Amino acid sequence: ENISDFSLNITDCTQVVVPEEVFFTVAAAGILENLLILIAVIRNKNLHLPMYFFICSLAISDMLGSLYKTLENIFIILCKMGYLTRHGDFEKKLDDAMDSMFILSLLGSIFSLLAIAADRYITIFYALRYHNIMTLRRALVILAVIWAFCAGSSIAIALFSYEAATVIPFTILFPLMMFFILCLYVHMFLLARSHAKKIASLPSSTVHHRTNMKGAITLTIFLGVFLCCWAPFVLHILLARFCPHNPYCACYMSIFHVNGTLIMCNAIINPMIFAFRSPELRSTFKKMFYCSR
Amino acid sequence: MSALRLISNRTSQPALSNSDYTWDYEYYEYGPVSFEGLKAHKYSIVIGFWVGLAVFVIFMFFVLTLLTKTGAPHQDNAELSEKRFRMNSFVADFGRPLESERVFSHQMAEESQSLFHFCINEVDHRNKEKENQKGPSLESNTHFHEVPKSSGMLEEDLHCLTKFNIPNFVNTEQNSSLGEDDLLISEPPIIL
């Protein structure tokens, strides 16, 4: 039980510690930002649309992720101050509940991003029938199914996380979803480019030839941010399962807190990429803030 | 993270004693890990992972940029006709109806033609412009949002094509920076 059993080597990889203030600031910013989006969508009737519901779903999963980290911090501090024992039954149950909340957040994020990409895809390629394909009721049903599946899987994964059978699907799901989302967006991207070319080739076209880079940059930012924020943690899970005693793996796992902070940063960046790009949502925010003054 | 406790419990020693408790996490050491005789740098996985991720993202960026240069090589016929009618509706909206219609009208399917008329009528109705009424408007249960168009946008009228509101998209800003990139991020307007 004692760390004195552990031979401390001067070249050991010690845990990289993220300052408490940074952690709480990032978590609080993530929670507030996503809460703001939820409130804005609920209050503005114009935003009761399938697309905004999917963005709300993403905001909820981001909020859950940040909430998890905050609760865990508080839990640790309470343990440190002695209010909670570390091996009690209640604490273990609380711990399991928090683990499943975190995995719920990850799965919810992935599926929300998938839903947003699919929604945009249908908008582009089935534009005229979009209103019939993606009704409000269907969008709510899709969200209910997604969250039920995520809740079930997260509880299963948290309970059986020591089994390789849960770790492997979990880590395969992540790149698979990313690849699928990438395919959807690339297809939309190609269509946009072909349309732009057609416009440019019109006889009386006066359009300026827009820079080609902007679309590529935007898509790269969107997918790159998600990848950079979540992939480190997913790799951590893999390494913790398969090579916990390997010194290289142990050194990777020592930066775990940085990975956790990255996930919370994703909660802050996601609204900027998705929600705040919408003019209607921005005007709702302005109205909210001006009214409150 | 506490989930790791579940993962590590099977293979590692029990928890650290309270006196070795760090301020923030219950992190269970994974037992004595020997750092002797490492061939590579001890953070090699960390460095390798981040370098690999950066390379992948940059590679993806270059692939996308390459796609922008070559464009889409082939499209469906249905897609083509749908796109053309949309294009015609936008072009007609901005006062260049006959020219482009002649260019494309012979290729339009009948369905797209009636939809084209519908679009024209929708846009006409909303903008209060007098376009040629080519035929009966198509009955539709879709809801188009208002598209306020300022008259001063004729200079960049083809940019304004991107403001066309398809159902469920609220896009009322006269923002000429909207373009094909916003297809990906904000409510994607139809890009022609």
Side-chain angles (χ1 to χ4, degrees), chain A residues 58-84:
Chain A
L58 186 66
I60 290 174
S61 8
D62 287 338
M63 226 165 54
L64 279 178
S66 300
L67 208 64
Y68 160 78
K69 284 291 178 188
T70 315
L71 285 178
E72 199 187 41
N73 255 11
I74 294 174
F75 184 49
I76 300 290
I77 290 173
L78 286 177
C79 274
K80 195 173 159 196
M81 298 202 308
Y83 292 121
L84 295 173

Side-chain angles (χ1 to χ4, degrees), chain A residues 240-280:
Chain A
R241 174 61 189 85
F242 290 115
C243 65
H245 296 296
N246 187 314
Y248 299 113
C249 298
C251 274
Y252 180 83
M253 294 191 285
S254 69
I255 60 168
F256 175 72
H257 303 326
V258 177
N259 297 343
T261 314
L262 277 174
I263 291 175
M264 290 199 301
C265 288
N266 187 48
I268 297 179
I269 297 175
N270 264 348
M272 294 182 199
I273 298 178
F274 289 98
F276 292 161
R277 290 283 201 131
S278 154
E280 180 74 21

Side-chain angles (χ1 to χ4, degrees), chain A residues 202-276:
Chain A
L202 281 179
S204 48
S205 160
T206 56
V207 70
H208 302 293
H209 188 61
R210 292 177 59 84
T211 168
N212 292 335
M213 302 289 278
K214 208 165 168 213
I217 290 174
T218 310
L219 191 56
T220 309
I221 287 175
F222 157 59
L223 285 170
V225 160
F226 186 76
L227 212 57
C228 288
C229 290
W230 285 100
F233 171 73
V234 174
L235 183 63
H236 184 111
I237 294 271
L238 262 181
L239 293 183
R241 174 61 189 85
F242 290 115
C243 65
H245 296 296
N246 187 314
Y248 299 113
C249 298
C251 274
Y252 180 83
M253 294 191 285
S254 69
I255 60 168
F256 175 72
H257 303 326
V258 177
N259 297 343
T261 314
L262 277 174
I263 291 175
M264 290 199 301
C265 288
N266 187 48
I268 297 179
I269 297 175
N270 264 348
M272 294 182 199
I273 298 178
F274 289 98
F276 292 161

Side-chain angles (χ1 to χ4, degrees), chain A:
Chain A
E1 278 239 349
N2 268 338
I3 198 174
S4 55
D5 292 335
F6 192 178
S7 57
L8 280 175
N9 200 335
I10 196 93
T11 59
D12 277 355
C13 293
T14 52
Q15 276 281 305
V16 173
V17 171
V18 174
E20 196 173 328
E21 294 80 16
V22 170
F23 227 89
F24 274 121
T25 313
V26 172
I31 293 176
L32 283 175
E33 210 175 351
N34 289 292
L35 203 61
L36 211 61
I37 289 172
L38 284 176
I39 293 173
V41 170
I42 290 172
R43 279 175 61 161
N44 187 351
K45 292 279 181 289
N46 282 345
L47 299 177
H48 288 186
L49 301 169
M51 179 183 66
Y52 290 104
F53 284 171
F54 293 137
I55 289 180
C56 274
S57 163
L58 186 66
I60 290 174
S61 8
D62 287 338
M63 226 165 54
L64 279 178
S66 300
L67 208 64
Y68 160 78
K69 284 291 178 188
T70 315
L71 285 178
E72 199 187 41
N73 255 11
I74 294 174
F75 184 49
I76 300 290
I77 290 173
L78 286 177
C79 274
K80 195 173 159 196
M81 298 202 308
Y83 292 121
L84 295 173
T85 62
R86 289 174 64 222
H87 302 290
D89 219 18
F90 168 71
E91 285 75 16
K92 282 202 168 65
K93 286 201 173 62
L94 197 62
D95 208 42
D96 284 344
M98 293 203 301
D99 288 343
S100 39
M101 191 199 297
F102 180 71
I103 296 175
L104 178 69
S105 153
L106 169 58
L107 290 175
S109 278
I110 293 178
F111 281 106
S112 299
L113 287 171
L114 185 64
I116 291 174
D119 180 66
R120 288 181 181 166
Y121 188 84
I122 295 176
T123 305
I124 298 300
F125 288 97
Y126 300 94
L128 295 169
R129 287 168 280 161
Y130 173 83
H131 194 73
N132 294 329
I133 296 175
M134 189 64 77
T135 58
L136 212 59
R137 239 186 91 210
R138 251 182 225 168
L140 291 172
V141 164
I142 288 172
L143 282 177
V145 166
I146 284 177
W147 281 97
F149 173 74
C150 291
S153 326
S154 72
I155 292 173
I157 290 175
L159 286 177
F160 301 110
S161 59
Y162 51 84
E163 299 282 344
T166 50
V167 169
I168 291 179
F170 180 69
T171 48
I172 286 177
L173 180 78
F174 179 76
L176 210 66
M177 287 295 185
M178 288 295 301
F179 180 68
F180 188 52
I181 291 173
L182 184 66
C183 286
L184 286 178
Y185 275 112
V186 164
H187 197 190
M188 287 192 266
F189 194 65
L190 290 177
L191 181 66
R193 298 315 310 170
S194 76
H195 277 160
K197 280 185 192 315
K198 283 201 176 104
I199 290 179
S201 66
L202 281 179
S204 48
S205 160
T206 56
V207 70
H208 302 293
H209 188 61
R210 292 177 59 84
T211 168
N212 292 335
M213 302 289 278
K214 208 165 168 213
I217 290 174
T218 310
L219 191 56
T220 309
I221 287 175
F222 157 59
L223 285 170
V225 160
F226 186 76
L227 212 57
C228 288
C229 290
W230 285 100
F233 171 73
V234 174
L235 183 63
H236 184 111
I237 294 271
L238 262 181
L239 293 183
R241 174 61 189 85
F242 290 115
C243 65
H245 296 296
N246 187 314
Y248 299 113
C249 298
C251 274
Y252 180 83
M253 294 191 285
S254 69
I255 60 168
F256 175 72
H257 303 326
V258 177
N259 297 343
T261 314
L262 277 174
I263 291 175
M264 290 199 301
C265 288
N266 187 48
I268 297 179
I269 297 175
N270 264 348
M272 294 182 199
I273 298 178
F274 289 98
F276 292 161
R277 290 283 201 131
S278 154
E280 180 74 21
L281 205 63
R282 280 204 297 265
S283 64
T284 312
F285 285 137
K286 284 186 200 135
K287 275 186 220 143
M288 272 167 53
F289 286 128
Y290 289 141
C291 282
S292 65
R293 282 182 191 176

Side-chain angles (χ1 to χ4, degrees), chain B residues 133-154:
Chain B
Q133 293 285 330
K134 302 278 186 321
S137 51
L138 189 69
E139 186 61 38
S140 164
N141 61 354
T142 57
H143 306 292
F144 284 86
H145 293 272
E146 284 295 317
V147 181
K149 290 191 188 341
S150 64
S151 54
M153 291 293 284
L154 281 179

Side-chain angles (χ1 to χ4, degrees), chain B residues 116-133:
Chain B
F116 153 65
H117 296 322
F118 161 71
C119 280
I120 290 294
N121 293 335
E122 276 288 324
V123 171
D124 284 346
H125 173 70
R126 278 183 279 110
N127 293 328
K128 298 180 175 56
E129 284 172 12
K130 298 299 172 248
E131 293 287 343
N132 294 327
Q133 293 285 330

